[in-house]
């Protein structure tokens, strides 16, 4: 096979093969770059999200829909405030810090109650790098007017869909 021939060639010529840099960490997108992206940097996972009638309409497309936001560099504690139209129920936030490669298997979650006009929760973390926002999405969808992440220090990261 071609792979075998290439491997034999590399061995016989003692060619150096590039290796991934284990210390490489891509730089996070700045807040300005994220705001220039659709949905202000929020990424739908297990759901569909479109801006419609002055709100972000989120509709479930799977069992566990959430909106994700990465590339954050916020000093904690961080307060999450969300304004919605209609819909209510229990929501959950999961996060990871800048010193974590992946989301931890347990912990670093907070629950909140979403009323018909929204809700808020404070995340007790020294810093916030990546966030998953699990919302109670009814069959007809949930309309989100804005999402704000307000750190203890520095500028808030706000997405307004109205």
């Amino acid at each position: 096979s071609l792979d075998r021939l290439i491997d034999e060639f590399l061995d016989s010529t003692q060619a150096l093969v590039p290796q991934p840099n284990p210390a490489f960490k891509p730089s996070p997108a700045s807040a300005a770059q994220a705001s220039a992206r659709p949905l202000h940097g929020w990424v739908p996972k297990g759901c569909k999200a479109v801006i419609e009638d002055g709100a972000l309409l989120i509709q479930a497309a799977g069992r566990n829909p959430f909106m994700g936001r990465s590339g954050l560099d916020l000093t904690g504690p961080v307060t999450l405030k969300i304004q919605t139209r209609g819909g209510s129920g229990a929501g959950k936030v999961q996060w990871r810090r800048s010193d974590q490669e992946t989301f931890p298997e347990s912990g670093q979650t907070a629950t909140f109650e979403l009323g018909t006009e929204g809700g808020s929760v404070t995340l007790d973390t020294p810093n916030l790098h990546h966030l998953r926002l699990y919302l109670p999405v009814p069959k007809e969808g949930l309309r989100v007017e804005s999402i704000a992440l307000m750190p203890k220090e520095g500028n808030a990261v706000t997405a307004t869909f109205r």
Side-chain angles (χ1 to χ4, degrees):
S1 77
L2 182 58
D3 286 339
R4 185 180 50 78
L5 290 173
I6 292 172
D7 287 339
E8 287 174 2
F9 173 79
L10 292 173
D11 287 341
S12 69
T13 61
Q14 297 180 342
L16 295 177
V17 179
Q19 299 294 318
N21 179 353
F24 175 73
K25 299 224 188 257
S27 62
S30 71
Q33 290 171 322
S35 294
R37 295 190 306 240
L39 309 181
H40 300 278
W42 288 93
V43 178
K45 299 289 184 175
C47 60
K48 296 177 185 175
V50 294
I51 297 176
E52 179 182 285
D53 298 326
L56 178 65
L57 175 62
I58 301 172
Q59 295 178 303
R63 283 184 338 134
N64 210 5
F66 68 89
M67 295 294 291
R69 182 71 161 74
S70 63
L72 299 166
D73 185 18
L74 302 176
T75 301
V78 176
T79 300
L80 165 75
K81 287 192 177 184
I82 181 167
Q83 290 184 312
T84 60
R85 281 191 247 151
S88 62
K92 181 177 91 170
V93 180
Q94 180 183 28
W95 68 88
R96 70 180 177 92
R97 301 180 313 257
S98 58
D99 63 333
Q100 296 172 312
E101 293 290 321
T102 61
F103 284 90
E105 290 188 30
S106 63
Q108 289 180 216
T109 62
T111 58
F112 63 96
E113 196 60 33
L114 188 66
T116 56
E117 294 183 7
S120 68
V121 63
T122 298
L123 312 178
D124 187 18
T125 180
N127 64 66
L128 179 62
H129 179 70
H130 192 171
L131 179 84
R132 291 177 177 165
L133 175 59
Y134 296 87
L135 295 166
V137 180
K139 263 187 178 176
E140 64 276 8
L142 177 68
R143 295 188 178 279
V144 176
E145 293 182 344
S146 67
I147 304 171
L149 295 167
M150 296 172 294
K152 179 180 179 181
E153 299 172 7
N155 295 326
V157 174
T158 305
T160 303
F161 305 105
R162 317 182 219 138

